[in-house]
Amino acid sequence: MAREKRINMVILGLLSHEDLTGYDMKKRIDNSISFFWNGSFGNIYPALKELEDESLIKSSNAAVGGREKIIYHITAKGKKVLKEWLKDEQASNELRYETLLKLFFGGGADRSTAIHNIEIFEEKVSQDLALLKMLSKSLEDCLDNDDHLYYYLTASFGVETYEAYLKWCAKAKKMLI
Amino acid sequence: MAREKRINMVILGLLSHEDLTGYDMKKRIDNSISFFWNGSFGNIYPALKELEDESLIKSSNAAVGGREKIIYHITAKGKKVLKEWLKDEQASNELRYETLLKLFFGGGADRSTAIHNIEIFEEKVSQDLALLKMLSKSLEDCLDNDDHLYYYLTASFGVETYEAYLKWCAKAKKMLI
DNA sequence: ATCAGCATGTAAGGCGTTACATGATTCA
DNA sequence: TGAATCATGTAACGCCTTACATGCTGAT
């Protein structure tokens, strides 16, 4: 059995909680996991077809308020595949930071350029950190629910690392002045 | 002028320090920037052709010890393109952590699976952190050289974030037990 | 002799993004 | 009435990885 691609696992994961349309999956991804995983329509819709062909999900048409939707739900087989993926030790964790690349090759320009690039990065990180902190705080109150606990832990990962980023930014700027 | 792809910038960046063969570029990438950027032969060699077609680099054949090599060096035009990229504020910083994805959807399996996945992540991070710390330490002594300073700062980024990862791992495991 | 490492490349596929195309509905 | 959002999709391309193919050299 060939290894499923990750977007398929994201879809199965989302559907293991609730039935969703492709459009709603995109929203869920944007709102809750986008800081460590992304999805796009050009990515999601073909994956939905693929998953349905493999009988891991099933679709049903619905007309909500006169507008037609395709709502998907996960099958027993889909749940099994999701679980197998969760139990698989292999996991690719990739960091691709162009900002670090630019810093590494900083000698090709002047120090002020390097500092400026760090500041742009810092700004973005600060903004994202503020959001993650709010999310994290709001989840703190319902850790008795397992799903909320898992959600909290990923948000918390973001908070910890983004705080480390900011600490590093300050140090790096100091050393470059 | 179309935006050059990043592997091209990596190559220009490396060549701005020293002339290299494609093979050596791969080694440099693996040894110094692989924790935030990767390269592969299937990636590098076609890029070299492209860059030479654009006159950003120039090749010269050499026979070192009877073995033939193609050594590349950067042109003035290449240096200009590198500098433009460094000054461009746009930078894509992507984190794609399958481990976090599995944790987020942890409800699909049991807690011991989630803990196990975190432990595997922790193990890998510990190993990489040890390497980064050594590198960082060895660079601390020559920060007067700008290139070493830039190198040090990227290594230092790795140290800070990996330490934050480990801190998070400990906390997450505690909460999952 | 054999095996690790040097050295260059190609082919196929993975996996994703962006832009485009279409049309309905809701709200100001 | 016009803009934002809902909703589904396709096409083209970006960019990388993996696996394959080839052959030399240096050390044991």
Side-chain angles (χ1 to χ4, degrees), chain B residues 26-62:
Chain B
K26 172 80 163 75
K27 278 199 294 185
R28 292 283 186 287
I29 292 170
D30 288 347
N31 293 332
S32 49
I33 63 174
S34 63
F35 88 89
F36 60 87
W37 210 271
N38 285 301
S40 60
F41 290 128
N43 199 8
I44 293 168
Y45 285 113
L48 289 172
K49 288 228 165 113
E50 202 180 304
L51 285 166
E52 189 160 27
D53 286 345
E54 298 173 65
S55 306
L56 303 184
I57 61 176
K58 264 188 81 178
S59 68
S60 56
N61 289 57

Side-chain angles (χ1 to χ4, degrees), chain A residues 21-24 27 42 45 49 67 69-70 96:
Chain A
T21 64
Y23 190 85
D24 285 330
K27 278 200 294 187
Y45 285 114
K49 289 228 166 111
R67 178 185 291 153
K69 295 179 172 198
I70 304 170
R96 298 181 69 79

Side-chain angles (χ1 to χ4, degrees), chain A residues 107-173:
Chain A
D110 35 85
R111 283 191 178 203
S112 62
T113 304
I115 292 171
H116 185 58
N117 285 331
I118 290 172
E119 281 167 348
I120 290 167
F121 177 69
E122 196 177 22
E123 177 62 24
K124 178 77 166 65
V125 170
S126 302
Q127 285 169 15
D128 291 352
L129 177 57
L131 293 175
L132 281 168
K133 271 187 170 167
M134 284 203 311
L135 174 61
S136 169
K137 277 254 162 62
S138 74
L139 287 164
E140 251 169 22
D141 300 324
C142 41
L143 297 180
D144 43 315
N145 175 310
D146 256 28
D147 288 332
H148 286 128
L149 173 60
Y150 291 127
Y151 195 178
Y152 169 77
L153 287 175
T154 55
S156 165
F157 179 94
V159 171
E160 299 280 357
T161 63
Y162 280 22
E163 275 174 350
Y165 288 179
L166 291 184
K167 192 176 143 201
W168 172 83
C169 284
K171 177 183 155 185
K173 285 197 297 179

Side-chain angles (χ1 to χ4, degrees), chain B residues 58-76:
Chain B
K58 264 188 81 178
S59 68
S60 56
N61 289 57
V64 178
R67 178 185 291 152
E68 43 181 298
K69 296 178 171 197
I70 304 170
I71 297 168
Y72 292 90
H73 66 267
I74 192 167
T75 63

Side-chain angles (χ1 to χ4, degrees), chain A residues 46-75:
Chain A
L48 289 172
K49 289 228 166 111
E50 203 180 305
L51 286 166
E52 190 159 26
D53 285 346
E54 298 173 63
S55 306
L56 303 185
I57 62 175
K58 264 186 80 177
S59 67
S60 56
N61 289 58
V64 178
R67 178 185 291 153
E68 44 182 296
K69 295 179 172 198
I70 304 170
I71 297 169
Y72 293 90
H73 66 269
I74 192 166
T75 64

